[in-house]
């Protein structure tokens, strides 16, 4: 089994360097429908297809049985998802056609959904950290808080607590 995977991997890398003709290159869509189509796109040339046949022939019958069982399970999942989609089709259509699409109830958790990101200066440039990462670094003492300065009305400088820069220590 491991040798067939290694053989396939070596053929896949070898086929990547082989020149391709524009007439036999399949057009790829943004979303491929099945894994089988993506495998066919990977192993489109005849040498790779022959290697696939050779490795499939060398596998025992139990591997073919498990493959058939996996495909049957996959088809069952697809059938279940299609049935669920058909059941909810009317409800989804009504939900999409409702009058108050911007209702407050739909956006109650908007502050919780949006991640809190903090920009931290490093020696290599700025880095964006999540709130959890920032708190971890801050508790470890790896972050310095630097306040900017501004001019007083009468002259002189004072700290500007609105201008905060976080610096990550190396």
């Amino acid at each position: 089994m491991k040798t067939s995977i290694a053989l396939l991997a070596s053929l896949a890398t070898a086929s990547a360097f082989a020149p391709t003709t524009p007439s036999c290159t399949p057009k790829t869509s943004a979303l491929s429908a099945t894994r089988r189509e993506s495998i066919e796109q990977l192993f489109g040339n005849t040498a790779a297809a022959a290697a696939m046949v050779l490795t499939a022939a060398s596998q025992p019958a139990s591997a073919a049985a498990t493959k058939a069982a996996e495909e049957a399970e996959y088809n069952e999942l697809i059938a279940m998802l299609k049935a669920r989609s058909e059941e909810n089709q009317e409800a989804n259509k009504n939900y999409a056609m409702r009058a108050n699409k911007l209702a407050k109830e739909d956006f109650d958790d908007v502050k919780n959904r949006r991640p809190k990101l903090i920009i931290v200066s490093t020696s290599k440039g700025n880095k964006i950290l999540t709130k959890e990462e920032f708190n971890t670094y801050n508790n470890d003492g790896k972050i310095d808080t630097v306040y900017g300065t501004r001019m007083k009305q009468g002259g002189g400088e004072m700290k500007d607590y609105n201008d905060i820069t976080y610096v990550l220590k190396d």
Side-chain angles (χ1 to χ4, degrees), residues 104-123:
K104 184 179 181 295
E105 294 82 27
D106 292 336
F107 299 98
D108 279 342
D109 64 339
V110 73
K111 289 186 178 179
N112 297 333
R113 282 185 286 165
R114 184 180 59 198
K116 175 76 171 158
L117 302 174
I118 301 170
I119 299 174
V120 177
S121 297
T122 64
S123 59

Side-chain angles (χ1 to χ4, degrees), residues 50-124:
M52 290 283 289
V53 169
L54 289 175
T55 56
S58 66
Q59 293 177 351
S62 64
T66 54
K67 185 175 182 181
E70 287 177 4
E71 190 163 331
E73 183 180 342
Y74 177 75
N75 290 338
E76 183 181 334
L77 174 68
I78 295 297
M80 182 185 68
L81 291 175
K82 283 183 180 178
R84 186 187 305 169
S85 176
E86 289 173 3
E87 288 173 6
N88 296 334
Q89 185 175 11
E90 189 67 28
N92 291 339
K93 188 186 296 182
N94 291 339
Y95 184 75
M97 297 302 290
R98 70 191 191 285
N100 63 345
K101 292 182 181 177
L102 297 175
K104 184 179 181 295
E105 294 82 27
D106 292 336
F107 299 98
D108 279 342
D109 64 339
V110 73
K111 289 186 178 179
N112 297 333
R113 282 185 286 165
R114 184 180 59 198
K116 175 76 171 158
L117 302 174
I118 301 170
I119 299 174
V120 177
S121 297
T122 64
S123 59
K124 297 178 184 175

Side-chain angles (χ1 to χ4, degrees), residues 18-56:
T20 59
T21 59
S23 62
C24 69
T25 9
K27 296 194 180 215
T28 58
S29 63
L31 297 172
S32 62
T34 63
R35 288 186 281 171
R36 182 179 296 136
E37 288 178 3
S38 59
I39 290 172
E40 288 173 356
Q41 289 173 359
L42 276 175
F43 301 109
N45 62 14
T46 56
M52 290 283 289
V53 169
L54 289 175
T55 56

Side-chain angles (χ1 to χ4, degrees), residues 146-149 160-165:
V146 178
Y147 297 103
T149 58
D160 185 4
Y161 292 102
N162 293 324
D163 183 15
I164 302 172
T165 305

